Amino acid sequence: MAKSWEEINARIASGDAVVLTAEEFGALAAEDGVKAAAKRVDVVTTGTFGPMCSSGVVLNFGHSDPPIRMTEITLNDVPAYGGLAAVDTYLGVTETSTVRGIEYGGAHVIEDLLRGRAVRLKASSPGTDCYPRTEIDTWVTLDDLNQAYFFNPRNAYQNYAVAVNTTDRVLHTYLGTLLPRLGNATYCSAGALSPLLNDPTYRTIGIGSRIFVAGAPGYVAWEGTQHNPHTDRDEHGVPVRPAGTLAVIADLKAASPEYFSAASFTGYGVSSFVGIGVPIPVLDEDIAATLALTDADLTATIYDYGVQRRSRPSFGTVSYAGLRSGCIEVDGKRVPTGPVSSLPKARAIAAELKRWIAEERFMLAPPVQQLPQPGAPGTKPLDIRTGEAI
Amino acid sequence: MARKRLDLTFPPRQSLKPVIYHLVKDYDLVPNILRAQIHPAQEGRMVLEVTGSKEAFQAGVAFLEGQGLTVNEAASDIVLDEDRCVDCGLCTAVCKPDALTLDPVTQRLTFDKDKCVYCEACVIACPRRAITLTF
């Protein structure tokens, strides 16, 4: 009963497509079986809303008169990259304010722009014959900018670690506050709703896929940084550890602060919650089988963040259903859990993407190029060596 | 049994009488110190949660006032800004008394203020800075 991308897009165009969220599809498959669900449903929508540090925006300010070639740039006192053309910049979400530290950073500037607020732009330059101005101090809004688009080098991590802490002190991490002596466990995935957990071998998600990025229609631009398809997988072929990632692109002007939220992690730094949603066509029963997986089927690996090394010791795996129950067992001890990624937001994203497809005829795009597949080489470490050793 | 939060102000030259000890021993009250800022020769503040019978509570307050302390019903409060909250749930991982929990069905954050002990772990943990303590 295979369906083609063309058939599914034709059904979207005519308004006849049957679209369910991944949670709804899992429930349907549990009731009617995978085969019947695969036959009935055309598209399954996914969603995730977690902190994604490798995110940021490309901005073009337009030229002042006389013009300036901006080399040192700040937005609301947050430094932005000056190594591009005269009035282009890249602002990363983790950049911190020179005045307010981690309480305000690149992510907060982006959220302010999305909320329509004016942002103070200051820049300086040595001055050149073609760009004589040496300083500028002005205010800009999102509407004023010529181009403003997300280019996020790593979003939508396929699975993530469960963090615990065996030391005697509180740890402040990007997975939140970890209490001493296995006092808690935090985890960060939308589980059954997570985009790449629903297409574990990147059959339908690839370069050129049309997706939801922070409320805007966007695209998968490339494999994400640290994309690592070559990792441990369960009997369904789903990674049990952090694996694939996506680099994504989308118009900031079409995005919404509902689906992009700045974050300050005490003792760690600035990040941003980014909403990502990916539609997955139900091409055949194989893909339907992974779309039907629930939080009870999907697992994550528990790591000791008390060991401050690249490779942290593991305490084995646990299911997302277990994590969501609020308490898991680690090393014979009952440990309360807390998520980092928002499930209500992930659900809202999957529902909004479903509405786009069903009501606004948002069409799917097959990958123009596949992401590196399982079996491809994994990520490489960074060795510390001297010039002489090269 | 009543449970109330009290905001105590210690005058700069308060005697060294251990008032909390007396609340326990003489008035059979169960005080839980939520916050304290006591410095020599300066005015001090302490926020207490006190559990006990109504009569004991009234007698205990009278004792504290007799010691020169100013006693007010605590105005300090943990405030959750629901517009800033994104229901990530990070605060629930550090909330030992389970005042902050996720609804098992909707996974949205719920705050049961009666269970809060004002430890402020959530204030530090919240990446949206959506939880604040007014003191």
Side-chain angles (χ1 to χ4, degrees):
Chain A
M1 84 79 247
K3 288 180 223 149
S4 70
W5 286 85
E6 291 73 23
E7 284 165 352
I8 289 168
N9 269 338
R11 289 169 66 78
I12 294 172
S14 65
D16 297 327
V18 177
V19 188
L20 293 186
T21 70
E23 281 187 321
E24 291 165 345
F25 188 82
L28 178 71
E31 198 153 299
D32 296 355
V34 169
K35 196 170 176 178
K39 196 172 171 193
R40 193 167 136 208
V41 180
D42 297 305
V43 183
V44 169
T45 60
T46 63
T48 187
F49 189 83
M52 304 188 196
C53 290
S54 230
S55 302
V57 289
V58 174
L59 308 174
N60 175 280
F61 298 114
H63 287 284
S64 59
D65 185 29
I68 179 170
R69 179 179 172 278
M70 301 177 181
T71 53
E72 285 181 2
I73 306 166
T74 61
L75 289 157
N76 283 354
D77 297 313
V78 178
Y81 185 61
L84 294 168
V87 292
D88 281 351
T89 193
Y90 184 81
L91 176 66
V93 299
T94 66
E95 193 70 57
T96 54
S97 163
T98 56
V99 180
R100 296 171 61 191
I102 71 159
E103 294 306 313
Y104 191 92
H108 298 84
V109 173
I110 296 166
E111 187 178 329
D112 277 344
L113 286 169
L114 283 173
R115 292 188 184 282
R117 295 176 187 141
V119 166
R120 189 170 189 177
L121 164 65
K122 287 196 248 182
S124 63
S125 165
T128 69
D129 289 342
C130 44
Y131 294 106
R133 183 188 289 273
T134 57
E135 283 197 7
I136 195 163
D137 185 347
T138 184
W139 293 81
V140 293
T141 65
L142 189 53
D143 285 344
D144 298 330
L145 303 173
N146 288 312
Q147 284 78 29
Y149 53 89
F150 283 109
F151 185 82
N152 302 347
R154 188 196 323 149
N155 281 177
Y157 233 124
Q158 186 179 28
N159 217 336
Y160 213 78
V162 179
V164 295
N165 170 15
T166 58
T167 71
D168 289 332
R169 68 182 183 95
V170 172
L171 297 178
H172 297 287
T173 76
Y174 56 78
L175 285 172
T177 307
L178 299 178
L179 302 177
R181 296 176 293 279
L182 297 173
N184 63 357
T186 60
Y187 61 101
C188 189
S189 173
L193 271 172
S194 175
L196 289 173
L197 289 181
N198 278 287
D199 182 6
T201 56
Y202 332 114
R203 271 185 69 196
T204 68
I205 305 174
I207 296 165
S209 292
R210 300 192 74 211
I211 62 171
F212 174 111
V213 178
Y219 294 89
V220 174
W222 204 250
E223 67 187 84
T225 52
Q226 292 179 30
H227 175 75
N228 181 15
H230 189 64
T231 189
D232 296 344
R233 291 172 183 260
D234 65 15
E235 67 272 22
H236 309 289
V238 181
V240 298
R241 290 192 288 155
T245 68
L246 302 175
V248 308
I249 193 161
D251 190 358
L252 183 64
K253 296 189 182 203
S256 159
E258 273 290 295
Y259 303 110
F260 178 91
S261 301
S264 297
F265 286 85
T266 301
Y268 173 71
V270 179
S271 188
S272 57
F273 289 91
V274 182
I276 300 289
V278 178
I280 298 174
V282 188
L283 297 173
D284 54 33
E285 283 170 33
D286 277 353
I287 194 136
T290 47
L291 290 168
L293 297 176
T294 65
D295 282 346
D297 306 307
L298 300 164
T299 55
T301 306
I302 305 163
Y303 289 100
D304 183 3
Y305 275 61
V307 176
Q308 297 175 323
R309 299 298 300 268
R310 183 174 64 215
S311 292
R312 301 182 172 101
S314 158
F315 285 104
T317 58
V318 60
S319 78
Y320 278 101
L323 289 162
R324 296 249 177 254
S325 76
C327 194
I328 60 171
E329 196 175 299
V330 182
D331 205 25
K333 192 181 169 188
R334 285 175 62 77
V335 178
T337 61
V340 187
S341 162
S342 171
L343 191 59
K345 286 278 189 187
R347 284 174 173 158
I349 290 162
E352 177 66 358
L353 185 53
K354 174 180 164 177
R355 193 188 66 75
W356 284 7
I357 297 165
E359 293 178 23
E360 296 179 10
R361 317 280 162 97
F362 182 84
M363 308 294 269
L364 310 192
V368 291
Q369 182 180 316
Q370 286 206 303
L371 299 174
Q373 297 288 300
T379 49
K380 293 189 282 284
L382 175 61
D383 293 328
I384 301 163
R385 52 195 171 195
T386 63
E388 291 76 27
I390 294 295
Chain B
M1 295 289 267
R3 193 169 79 144
K4 279 188 178 167
R5 277 187 297 123
L6 296 178
D7 184 346
L8 310 183
T9 307
F10 292 69
R13 297 192 183 283
Q14 165 63 17
S15 74
L16 292 174
K17 197 162 189 176
V19 291
I20 303 303
Y21 165 82
H22 286 287
L23 286 184
V24 178
K25 181 133 193 316
D26 303 341
Y27 300 94
D28 198 25
L29 291 166
V30 183
N32 183 15
I33 299 171
L34 305 175
R35 271 180 83 109
Q37 289 173 340
I38 313 284
H39 301 288
Q42 283 178 31
E43 189 178 83
R45 297 255 318 261
M46 184 184 283
V47 178
L48 281 179
E49 190 174 74
V50 183
T51 310
S53 74
K54 202 176 168 187
E55 297 71 34
F57 182 84
Q58 284 169 349
V61 169
F63 159 73
L64 292 172
E65 285 172 340
Q67 293 299 311
L69 278 64
T70 310
V71 182
N72 288 308
E73 296 257 339
S76 70
D77 210 359
I78 291 275
V79 181
L80 171 66
D81 182 344
E82 289 183 9
D83 288 340
R84 289 198 62 78
C85 175
V86 296
D87 296 300
C88 71
L90 256 175
C91 56
T92 65
V94 296
C95 184
K96 285 289 169 191
D98 284 336
L100 289 156
T101 53
L102 293 175
D103 180 281
V105 177
T106 66
Q107 291 284 309
R108 295 192 75 111
L109 185 67
T110 57
F111 180 32
D112 182 350
K113 213 175 263 191
D114 287 343
K115 289 184 178 171
C116 178
V117 297
Y118 302 84
C119 70
E120 292 180 64
C122 56
V123 175
I124 297 162
C126 175
R128 290 289 292 160
R129 302 296 188 246
I131 308 174
T132 46
L133 180 89
T134 55
F135 185 67

